[in-house]
Amino acid sequence: MKDGGLSIELRVAGWFLGPALSVVLIFQLMPAGAAFLLSLTDFDLYTFAAPDTLRIVGLRNYQMLLQDGRFWLALRNTLYFVGLGGVLTLGLSLGTALWLNQRFVRFRALLRTVYFAPVVTTLVAVAIVWRYIYHARYGLLNQGLQLLGLEPVDWLGDPRWALPSLVLMAVWKNYGYSLLIFMAALQAVPEELYDAARIDGADLWQQFRHVTLPTLRPVVLLTGLVTANGYFQVFAEPYVMTGGGPLDATLTMVLLLYDQGFRWWRLGYAAALAFVLFVLMLLLSAVLLRLQREAQR
Protein backbone atom coordinates (compact mmCIF):
# COMPACT_ATOMS: atom_id res chain seq x y z
CA MET A 1 0.00 0.00 0.00
CA LYS A 2 2.85 2.33 0.84
CA ASP A 3 4.56 1.69 -2.51
CA GLY A 4 1.25 2.08 -4.28
CA GLY A 5 0.56 5.38 -2.44
CA LEU A 6 4.03 6.66 -3.29
CA SER A 7 3.51 5.78 -6.91
CA ILE A 8 0.23 7.71 -6.97
CA GLU A 9 1.95 10.71 -5.38
CA LEU A 10 4.70 10.59 -7.99
CA ARG A 11 2.18 10.42 -10.79
CA VAL A 12 0.23 13.36 -9.37
CA ALA A 13 3.46 15.32 -8.95
CA GLY A 14 4.37 14.50 -12.53
CA TRP A 15 1.04 15.80 -13.79
CA PHE A 16 1.47 19.06 -11.89
CA LEU A 17 5.16 19.57 -12.68
CA GLY A 18 5.11 18.28 -16.23
CA PRO A 19 3.72 21.41 -17.94
CA ALA A 20 6.11 23.72 -16.08
CA LEU A 21 9.13 21.50 -16.76
CA SER A 22 8.14 21.27 -20.43
CA VAL A 23 8.06 25.06 -20.67
CA VAL A 24 11.51 25.29 -19.04
CA LEU A 25 12.88 22.62 -21.37
CA ILE A 26 11.45 24.09 -24.59
CA PHE A 27 11.84 27.80 -23.95
CA GLN A 28 14.96 27.95 -21.75
CA LEU A 29 17.20 24.88 -21.85
CA MET A 30 16.90 24.17 -25.57
CA PRO A 31 17.54 27.80 -26.66
CA ALA A 32 20.47 27.96 -24.21
CA GLY A 33 21.94 24.79 -25.72
CA ALA A 34 21.42 26.14 -29.24
CA ALA A 35 23.12 29.41 -28.25
CA PHE A 36 26.13 27.51 -26.87
CA LEU A 37 26.45 25.56 -30.13
CA LEU A 38 26.16 28.87 -32.01
CA SER A 39 29.04 30.29 -29.96
CA LEU A 40 31.26 27.52 -31.39
CA THR A 41 30.67 28.67 -34.98
CA ASP A 42 31.49 31.71 -37.14
CA PHE A 43 27.79 32.36 -37.87
CA ASP A 44 27.48 35.85 -39.43
CA LEU A 45 25.45 37.77 -42.00
CA TYR A 46 26.87 35.80 -44.94
CA THR A 47 25.67 32.54 -43.41
CA PHE A 48 22.05 33.61 -43.93
CA ALA A 49 22.64 33.75 -47.70
CA ALA A 50 24.91 30.70 -47.87
CA PRO A 51 24.40 28.31 -44.91
CA ASP A 52 27.02 25.95 -46.33
CA THR A 53 29.72 28.51 -45.45
CA LEU A 54 29.09 27.96 -41.72
CA ARG A 55 32.22 26.67 -40.01
CA ILE A 56 32.86 25.15 -36.60
CA VAL A 57 35.56 27.28 -34.96
CA GLY A 58 35.60 25.71 -31.51
CA LEU A 59 36.65 28.13 -28.76
CA ARG A 60 38.03 30.77 -31.13
CA ASN A 61 35.20 33.21 -30.30
CA TYR A 62 36.08 32.94 -26.60
CA GLN A 63 39.78 33.52 -27.35
CA MET A 64 38.84 36.62 -29.37
CA LEU A 65 36.80 37.86 -26.40
CA LEU A 66 39.83 37.70 -24.13
CA GLN A 67 41.81 39.79 -26.62
CA ASP A 68 39.03 42.35 -27.17
CA GLY A 69 39.56 45.58 -25.23
CA ARG A 70 35.88 46.54 -25.53
CA PHE A 71 34.92 43.26 -23.83
CA TRP A 72 37.05 44.05 -20.77
CA LEU A 73 35.69 47.60 -20.69
CA ALA A 74 32.11 46.32 -20.92
CA LEU A 75 32.83 43.76 -18.18
CA ARG A 76 34.27 46.44 -15.90
CA ASN A 77 31.27 48.71 -16.49
CA THR A 78 28.83 45.86 -15.87
CA LEU A 79 30.53 44.86 -12.60
CA TYR A 80 30.47 48.55 -11.59
CA PHE A 81 26.73 48.58 -12.29
CA VAL A 82 26.19 45.38 -10.29
CA GLY A 83 28.32 46.49 -7.32
CA LEU A 84 27.31 50.12 -6.92
CA GLY A 85 23.76 49.72 -8.22
CA GLY A 86 23.12 46.63 -6.14
CA VAL A 87 24.35 48.15 -2.87
CA LEU A 88 22.45 51.41 -3.42
CA THR A 89 19.24 49.62 -4.42
CA LEU A 90 19.27 47.29 -1.42
CA GLY A 91 20.30 50.01 1.03
CA LEU A 92 17.75 52.53 -0.19
CA SER A 93 14.89 50.03 -0.41
CA LEU A 94 15.60 48.52 3.03
CA GLY A 95 15.93 51.96 4.65
CA THR A 96 12.70 53.17 3.08
CA ALA A 97 10.89 49.95 4.06
CA LEU A 98 12.04 50.35 7.69
CA TRP A 99 10.73 53.93 7.69
CA LEU A 100 7.37 52.99 6.14
CA ASN A 101 7.00 50.19 8.68
CA GLN A 102 6.97 52.64 11.59
CA ARG A 103 3.64 53.23 13.32
CA PHE A 104 3.76 57.03 13.01
CA VAL A 105 3.93 56.94 9.20
CA ARG A 106 0.59 57.76 7.56
CA PHE A 107 -0.71 57.20 4.01
CA ARG A 108 1.39 54.05 3.61
CA ALA A 109 -0.66 52.75 0.68
CA LEU A 110 -0.21 56.04 -1.18
CA LEU A 111 3.53 56.10 -0.45
CA ARG A 112 3.94 52.49 -1.60
CA THR A 113 2.24 53.43 -4.87
CA VAL A 114 4.47 56.48 -5.31
CA TYR A 115 7.66 54.48 -4.68
CA PHE A 116 6.57 51.64 -6.98
CA ALA A 117 5.44 53.91 -9.84
CA PRO A 118 8.93 54.19 -11.46
CA VAL A 119 9.13 50.37 -11.72
CA VAL A 120 6.09 50.23 -14.02
CA THR A 121 6.90 53.43 -15.91
CA THR A 122 8.31 52.93 -19.40
CA LEU A 123 12.01 53.68 -19.71
CA VAL A 124 11.45 56.07 -22.62
CA ALA A 125 9.33 58.35 -20.42
CA VAL A 126 11.85 58.02 -17.60
CA ALA A 127 14.70 58.85 -20.00
CA ILE A 128 13.00 62.10 -21.11
CA VAL A 129 12.70 63.26 -17.49
CA TRP A 130 16.25 62.25 -16.53
CA ARG A 131 17.72 63.79 -19.66
CA TYR A 132 16.26 67.08 -18.50
CA ILE A 133 17.60 66.54 -14.98
CA TYR A 134 21.08 65.76 -16.37
CA HIS A 135 21.08 68.44 -19.09
CA ALA A 136 24.47 70.18 -19.17
CA ARG A 137 23.03 73.73 -19.42
CA TYR A 138 19.40 73.64 -18.25
CA GLY A 139 19.34 70.55 -16.03
CA LEU A 140 17.99 70.69 -12.49
CA LEU A 141 21.18 69.19 -11.05
CA ASN A 142 23.41 71.84 -12.61
CA GLN A 143 21.05 74.61 -11.54
CA GLY A 144 21.37 73.31 -7.99
CA LEU A 145 25.17 73.24 -8.30
CA GLN A 146 25.18 76.82 -9.56
CA LEU A 147 23.10 77.93 -6.56
CA LEU A 148 25.84 76.42 -4.36
CA GLY A 149 28.52 78.26 -6.36
CA LEU A 150 29.86 75.08 -8.01
CA GLU A 151 30.78 74.51 -11.65
CA PRO A 152 28.19 72.64 -13.79
CA VAL A 153 28.89 69.04 -14.78
CA ASP A 154 28.24 67.39 -18.14
CA TRP A 155 26.63 64.37 -16.51
CA LEU A 156 26.07 62.30 -19.67
CA GLY A 157 28.85 63.74 -21.83
CA ASP A 158 31.78 63.40 -19.42
CA PRO A 159 33.21 59.82 -19.29
CA ARG A 160 33.91 60.24 -15.57
CA TRP A 161 30.27 61.01 -14.70
CA ALA A 162 28.25 59.17 -17.36
CA LEU A 163 28.26 55.72 -15.72
CA PRO A 164 27.49 56.90 -12.14
CA SER A 165 24.66 59.01 -13.60
CA LEU A 166 23.12 55.96 -15.26
CA VAL A 167 23.52 53.92 -12.07
CA LEU A 168 21.65 56.60 -10.12
CA MET A 169 18.80 56.61 -12.64
CA ALA A 170 18.61 52.79 -12.63
CA VAL A 171 18.50 52.70 -8.81
CA TRP A 172 15.66 55.26 -8.78
CA LYS A 173 13.70 53.24 -11.32
CA ASN A 174 14.17 49.79 -9.77
CA TYR A 175 14.34 50.13 -6.00
CA GLY A 176 10.55 50.18 -5.56
CA TYR A 177 10.43 46.46 -6.42
CA SER A 178 12.83 45.54 -3.61
CA LEU A 179 10.99 47.94 -1.32
CA LEU A 180 7.74 45.97 -1.60
CA ILE A 181 9.55 42.70 -0.84
CA PHE A 182 11.19 44.17 2.26
CA MET A 183 7.92 45.67 3.48
CA ALA A 184 6.19 42.29 3.21
CA ALA A 185 9.09 40.63 5.06
CA LEU A 186 9.09 43.26 7.84
CA GLN A 187 5.40 42.70 8.51
CA ALA A 188 6.17 39.01 9.11
CA VAL A 189 8.69 39.75 11.91
CA PRO A 190 7.00 38.83 15.26
CA GLU A 191 6.36 41.91 17.38
CA GLU A 192 7.18 39.84 20.50
CA LEU A 193 10.85 39.82 19.48
CA TYR A 194 10.95 43.63 19.57
CA ASP A 195 9.10 43.67 22.91
CA ALA A 196 11.66 41.27 24.40
CA ALA A 197 14.55 43.35 23.00
CA ARG A 198 13.09 46.58 24.47
CA ILE A 199 12.64 44.90 27.88
CA ASP A 200 16.33 43.94 27.73
CA GLY A 201 17.21 47.60 27.12
CA ALA A 202 18.02 47.41 23.39
CA ASP A 203 17.98 50.70 21.49
CA LEU A 204 16.78 51.10 17.88
CA TRP A 205 20.15 50.21 16.35
CA GLN A 206 20.50 47.10 18.54
CA GLN A 207 16.92 46.03 17.63
CA PHE A 208 17.78 46.39 13.95
CA ARG A 209 21.08 44.55 14.30
CA HIS A 210 19.94 41.67 16.51
CA VAL A 211 16.25 41.25 15.54
CA THR A 212 15.41 42.79 12.17
CA LEU A 213 18.54 41.97 10.19
CA PRO A 214 18.86 38.27 11.20
CA THR A 215 15.16 37.74 10.46
CA LEU A 216 15.42 39.42 7.07
CA ARG A 217 18.73 37.81 6.05
CA PRO A 218 17.20 35.20 3.65
CA VAL A 219 15.05 37.92 2.07
CA VAL A 220 18.06 40.25 1.73
CA LEU A 221 20.08 37.53 0.01
CA LEU A 222 17.22 36.63 -2.32
CA THR A 223 16.57 40.28 -3.18
CA GLY A 224 20.30 40.82 -3.69
CA LEU A 225 20.39 37.88 -6.08
CA VAL A 226 17.46 39.19 -8.13
CA THR A 227 18.86 42.73 -8.14
CA ALA A 228 22.38 41.68 -9.12
CA ASN A 229 21.16 39.47 -11.96
CA GLY A 230 18.99 42.34 -13.18
CA TYR A 231 21.98 44.72 -13.26
CA PHE A 232 24.12 42.09 -14.98
CA GLN A 233 21.62 42.32 -17.85
CA VAL A 234 21.38 46.12 -17.88
CA PHE A 235 20.75 47.29 -21.43
CA ALA A 236 17.92 49.76 -21.81
CA GLU A 237 19.41 52.53 -19.65
CA PRO A 238 22.72 52.94 -21.56
CA TYR A 239 21.02 52.20 -24.91
CA VAL A 240 18.40 54.94 -24.48
CA MET A 241 20.43 57.53 -22.56
CA THR A 242 23.94 57.39 -24.03
CA GLY A 243 24.13 54.62 -26.65
CA GLY A 244 27.15 53.27 -24.75
CA GLY A 245 29.15 56.50 -24.94
CA PRO A 246 30.92 58.75 -24.42
CA LEU A 247 34.06 56.81 -25.43
CA ASP A 248 32.36 53.54 -24.41
CA ALA A 249 32.20 54.80 -20.82
CA THR A 250 28.70 53.30 -20.40
CA LEU A 251 29.16 50.23 -22.58
CA THR A 252 27.79 47.14 -20.81
CA MET A 253 27.99 43.43 -21.62
CA VAL A 254 24.46 43.20 -23.03
CA LEU A 255 24.88 46.40 -25.03
CA LEU A 256 28.12 45.00 -26.52
CA LEU A 257 26.29 41.74 -27.25
CA TYR A 258 23.54 43.67 -29.06
CA ASP A 259 26.13 45.69 -30.95
CA GLN A 260 28.01 42.60 -32.16
CA GLY A 261 24.96 40.44 -32.81
CA PHE A 262 22.43 42.81 -34.35
CA ARG A 263 24.51 45.65 -35.76
CA TRP A 264 27.47 43.71 -37.15
CA TRP A 265 25.68 40.33 -37.36
CA ARG A 266 28.56 38.42 -35.70
CA LEU A 267 26.12 36.04 -34.06
CA GLY A 268 28.72 33.42 -33.10
CA TYR A 269 30.78 36.05 -31.27
CA ALA A 270 27.66 37.49 -29.63
CA ALA A 271 26.62 34.02 -28.45
CA ALA A 272 30.05 33.59 -26.82
CA LEU A 273 29.51 36.90 -25.02
CA ALA A 274 26.12 35.68 -23.82
CA PHE A 275 27.66 32.53 -22.37
CA VAL A 276 30.37 34.43 -20.53
CA LEU A 277 27.63 36.60 -19.01
CA PHE A 278 25.66 33.45 -18.13
CA VAL A 279 28.66 31.96 -16.31
CA LEU A 280 29.21 35.17 -14.33
CA MET A 281 25.57 35.24 -13.24
CA LEU A 282 25.73 31.54 -12.36
CA LEU A 283 28.82 32.06 -10.18
CA LEU A 284 27.26 34.98 -8.34
CA SER A 285 24.03 33.04 -7.81
CA ALA A 286 25.99 30.07 -6.43
CA VAL A 287 27.88 32.30 -3.97
CA LEU A 288 24.72 34.04 -2.72
CA LEU A 289 22.78 30.76 -2.39
CA ARG A 290 25.67 29.26 -0.42
CA LEU A 291 25.63 32.27 1.90
CA GLN A 292 21.89 31.79 2.33
CA ARG A 293 22.28 28.12 3.26
CA GLU A 294 25.01 28.95 5.77
CA ALA A 295 22.80 31.66 7.28
CA GLN A 296 19.96 29.16 7.76
CA ARG A 297 22.16 26.72 9.71
Side-chain angles (χ1 to χ4, degrees):
M1 291 294 292
K2 184 177 180 180
D3 292 337
L6 183 60
S7 178
I8 292 175
E9 291 176 356
L10 287 176
R11 284 200 296 269
V12 171
W15 279 108
F16 278 103
L17 293 176
L21 292 177
S22 300
V23 170
V24 171
L25 176 65
I26 296 173
F27 295 104
Q28 294 187 359
L29 295 182
M30 290 179 64
F36 177 69
L37 294 177
L38 186 65
S39 73
L40 303 178
T41 70
D42 64 347
F43 197 106
D44 57 14
L45 182 61
Y46 300 104
T47 310
F48 285 104
D52 56 332
T53 62
L54 181 67
R55 294 178 302 174
I56 305 296
V57 296
L59 299 178
R60 194 178 73 183
N61 286 326
Y62 295 93
Q63 294 172 348
M64 292 169 60
L65 272 182
L66 299 178
Q67 299 169 359
D68 188 350
R70 295 189 79 207
F71 164 73
W72 291 108
L73 182 60
L75 177 61
R76 188 196 69 179
N77 292 341
T78 302
L79 293 177
Y80 184 94
F81 232 106
V82 173
L84 182 61
V87 170
L88 289 178
T89 300
L90 292 182
L92 187 61
S93 57
L94 180 57
T96 308
L98 289 170
W99 175 69
L100 288 177
N101 200 47
Q102 300 302 313
R103 294 176 179 173
F104 61 82
V105 176
R106 304 179 64 183
F107 309 112
R108 293 183 187 178
L110 175 63
L111 292 174
R112 282 199 300 266
T113 303
V114 170
Y115 289 128
F116 192 71
V119 178
V120 294
T121 305
T122 62
L123 188 65
V124 175
V126 170
I128 293 173
V129 175
W130 279 85
R131 274 183 174 277
Y132 176 71
I133 294 174
Y134 284 143
H135 196 280
R137 295 184 61 184
Y138 310 109
L140 292 178
L141 278 179
N142 280 341
Q143 290 182 15
L145 291 178
Q146 289 175 349
L147 289 176
L148 297 174
L150 300 175
E151 292 293 326
V153 175
D154 189 357
W155 298 100
L156 298 178
D158 189 332
R160 294 174 302 173
W161 291 102
L163 190 57
S165 301
L166 291 190
V167 171
L168 182 62
M169 188 192 80
V171 169
W172 174 84
K173 188 178 187 314
N174 297 314
Y175 91 100
Y177 180 78
S178 303
L179 169 66
L180 290 188
I181 296 176
F182 284 135
M183 287 200 67
L186 283 171
Q187 292 172 7
V189 179
E191 189 63 29
E192 292 80 6
L193 296 178
Y194 292 108
D195 293 337
R198 282 190 286 267
I199 291 174
D200 290 339
D203 55 23
L204 290 177
W205 168 247
Q206 290 171 326
Q207 291 177 37
F208 171 76
R209 182 181 175 187
H210 298 292
V211 176
T212 306
L213 200 54
T215 310
L216 294 184
R217 186 171 297 164
V219 179
V220 172
L221 290 173
L222 176 63
T223 309
L225 177 63
V226 174
T227 303
N229 282 333
Y231 283 136
F232 261 122
Q233 302 173 69
V234 65
F235 168 76
E237 286 84 353
Y239 180 77
V240 173
M241 295 289 287
T242 62
L247 300 175
D248 285 342
T250 58
L251 182 69
T252 61
M253 293 276 288
V254 179
L255 189 57
L256 178 61
L257 188 157
Y258 170 82
D259 187 60
Q260 294 294 323
F262 298 101
R263 180 173 296 176
W264 304 111
W265 293 98
R266 301 174 62 193
L267 294 177
Y269 188 79
L273 258 173
F275 255 84
V276 171
L277 183 62
F278 169 74
V279 170
L280 290 174
M281 295 170 62
L282 192 65
L283 289 175
L284 179 66
S285 301
V287 171
L288 291 179
L289 290 176
R290 182 181 179 85
L291 290 175
Q292 184 175 4
R293 284 196 297 270
E294 291 179 353
Q296 290 174 344
R297 289 175 182 173

